[in-house]
Amino acid sequence: MKKPKQILFICTGNTCRSPMAQALLAREIASLGIDGYEAASAGTAARVDGRLNPLSAQVLSENGLALEGFTSTPLDEKILTGAKAVVCMTEAQRDEVAYMRWKALNDKGRKRISDNVYCFSTFCGKEIPDPYGYGLEEYRYVFSLMQGGMYALMDKLFSKELKAMLQKEGGVVEEKPKKKRKKKTAEKA
């Protein structure tokens, strides 16, 4: 079986924001039946085996989600270069991670490197602030921002798959525009 393409969410410690985004996308992928993709997360300053923040876990639970046995993952070159797309919580993280990804792929001899590192602000209009050290309401706010941008994110990342699903379910077949043929004209002598 072919290994699923990873959509990787990045935050700092990989215990608050990126795991919540991972759980959100995993639910959407499963509910829509999109095959061949999986959600993952990592942190730019994550500890090995860090635990999911209890407030993140509570917000996920309030929304019918869970990440059983979750442990944080430090961002490394293998994870970064193996991802189909990367979504960061802030623009500063996006800039840092995009450069890291470009450099790693370039060093591996990849001539063509896709521009597929994004900031969540592209999808929800705001950067996702770090709720670490704050209360439950801040975690709920962060979750709501990510949830609000999830459909735009999915449209960007899975547009072909979503279009195919809509066509299949609704019987909608998109007609390709017909090319107009140019009339041949006789050359004047």
Side-chain angles (χ1 to χ4, degrees):
M1 187 167 156
K2 195 173 181 181
K3 183 179 177 186
K5 298 173 187 170
Q6 254 187 11
I7 308 302
L8 181 65
F9 292 97
I10 303 289
C11 70
T12 306
N14 191 219
T15 60
C16 300
R17 296 172 288 178
S18 58
M20 287 195 290
Q22 174 185 346
L24 267 168
L25 183 63
R27 174 175 66 190
E28 295 303 325
I29 289 172
S31 71
L32 292 172
I34 298 174
D35 293 325
Y37 290 91
E38 70 180 5
S41 64
T44 57
R47 294 187 339 250
V48 175
D49 294 331
R51 300 287 176 223
L52 182 63
N53 184 290
L55 294 175
S56 289
Q58 182 174 341
V59 171
L60 288 175
S61 177
E62 291 172 359
N63 289 278
L65 297 166
L67 287 173
E68 299 299 326
F70 178 86
T71 58
S72 60
T73 303
L75 182 62
D76 64 22
E77 187 177 296
K78 182 179 179 184
I79 294 168
L80 187 58
T81 58
K84 172 73 174 164
V86 180
V87 183
C88 300
M89 300 297 139
T90 67
E91 291 177 14
Q93 287 170 341
R94 179 206 53 214
D95 294 346
E96 175 187 359
V97 169
Y99 176 74
M100 288 169 56
R101 182 175 166 86
W102 175 85
K103 183 169 179 357
L105 290 170
N106 192 49
D107 289 349
K108 288 183 174 190
R110 294 271 299 269
K111 301 282 184 212
R112 184 177 145 91
I113 300 171
S114 298
D115 182 18
N116 55 0
V117 178
Y118 307 97
C119 178
F120 228 114
S121 63
T122 302
F123 309 108
C124 68
K126 294 182 177 188
E127 291 185 347
I128 307 297
D130 191 351
Y132 184 78
Y134 293 95
L136 184 58
E137 288 307 311
E138 286 78 11
Y139 281 78
R140 288 177 176 147
Y141 172 70
V142 163
F143 183 86
S144 71
L145 284 176
M146 290 186 287
Q147 190 172 32
M150 196 55 60
Y151 293 113
L153 170 68
M154 292 185 65
D155 186 47
K156 176 71 173 177
L157 299 178
F158 307 120
S159 60
K160 291 177 189 174
E161 291 84 355
L162 293 172
K163 184 185 277 188
M165 286 172 48
L166 287 173
Q167 289 174 347
K168 182 179 177 184
E169 288 177 10
V172 178
V173 178
E174 184 177 308
E175 291 186 33
K176 294 181 181 177
K178 294 180 181 178
K179 293 182 181 179
K180 292 183 180 180
R181 292 185 179 199
K182 294 182 181 179
K183 294 182 182 178
K184 293 183 180 180
T185 56
E187 285 186 35
K188 293 182 181 179

